[in-house]
Amino acid sequence: MKLFLSVFLLFGLGCSAWAQYDEAVDGDLSNDPSSPTLIILSASGSTSITASSMNGEDDYFSITIPEGGSLDSLLLESLVSANVGFLSILPGATAVPESGVSTSDLLGWTHLALPIGDKLPTLQASTSTGAQGFDIPLPAGTYTFWSQETATTPTTYTIRLVTSQPRKADIPTVGEWSLLVLGLLILIVSCRWWQQSADVVSIDSRHA
């Protein structure tokens, strides 16, 4: 019974939808660069964030990619804006205060603008304007994202962080559980066959 429940739970986790943070439901992202909102990355590999930013209301959120994991893409899935938003990524758990920020403090930056698609390469390409740069996929570590809109009309966007998660060696995968169950079934059938064969031999011996 415990084995069945374990397999059921693992299957459920593997099929779960990506996590979602929505300002309309979960509250505004932090406006404090020294204390960004911590976004917990989904174990399923996709984490969606829906937020808005406007003049005087910068947003900051941070993520931690565990050892052995990576950020593979940052997909802009929707954008409603009368202007062009701004998104940057910085190393560490805090962002540089706006009063002292410079391009060289950033790993990368990009404008939140159409077309829809992966913005990680454009974040990386900002090294041409003085940003530090980073590798794709973005390796394990803690990073802070800074979203800004200077216009008085808000920019609303949805981005999806696609990550590769490290495999947990202490938790068997569904496939490993299946092989274990199959092995146990084979062992049980073999033992039953051996026992039946032994019984037949014993009966034959008594009638010999």
Side-chain angles (χ1 to χ4, degrees):
M1 186 64 173
K2 290 182 179 179
L3 180 61
F4 173 78
L5 289 174
S6 298
V7 173
F8 178 80
L9 288 172
L10 285 170
F11 180 81
L13 287 172
C15 296
S16 62
W18 64 73
Q20 181 174 357
Y21 187 98
D22 188 337
E23 282 192 327
V25 176
D26 303 305
D28 289 343
L29 292 173
S30 174
N31 306 133
D32 182 358
S34 66
S35 182
T37 298
L38 176 61
I39 302 295
I40 304 299
L41 296 175
S42 170
S44 68
S46 291
T47 306
S48 175
I49 300 170
T50 299
S52 63
S53 176
M54 61 185 296
N55 186 34
E57 188 185 355
D58 297 357
D59 288 336
Y60 301 92
F61 66 89
S62 64
I63 63 171
T64 295
I65 303 170
E67 190 66 32
S70 63
L71 175 63
D72 301 332
S73 58
L74 189 154
L75 304 176
L76 177 63
E77 294 195 318
S78 67
L79 178 70
V80 178
S81 177
N83 198 23
V84 177
F86 169 85
L87 181 69
S88 66
I89 179 173
L90 303 96
T94 60
V96 179
E98 186 178 356
S99 59
V101 72
S102 66
T103 304
S104 61
D105 295 315
L106 311 175
L107 290 178
W109 67 274
T110 187
H111 287 124
L112 278 178
L114 298 175
I116 300 299
D118 188 6
K119 299 301 179 181
L120 205 55
T122 55
L123 278 164
Q124 183 192 51
S126 60
T127 52
S128 61
T129 60
Q132 297 176 28
F134 57 90
D135 294 329
I136 296 178
L138 187 67
T142 298
Y143 304 94
T144 295
F145 290 84
W146 169 27
S147 170
Q148 181 186 35
E149 171 58 81
T150 57
T152 55
T153 302
T155 290
T156 301
Y157 58 88
T158 297
I159 58 176
R160 179 154 55 97
L161 307 176
V162 180
T163 55
S164 294
Q165 299 291 326
R167 181 175 173 178
K168 296 183 178 179
D170 57 331
I171 300 181
T173 64
V174 173
E176 289 169 341
W177 275 111
S178 299
L179 289 175
L180 177 60
V181 172
L182 178 61
L184 288 174
L185 289 175
I186 292 174
L187 181 62
I188 292 171
V189 171
S190 298
C191 290
R192 291 288 299 274
W193 176 85
W194 181 85
Q195 183 63 50
Q196 290 175 355
S197 299
D199 291 342
V200 171
V201 171
S202 176
I203 292 172
D204 291 343
S205 298
R206 288 198 298 271
H207 288 280

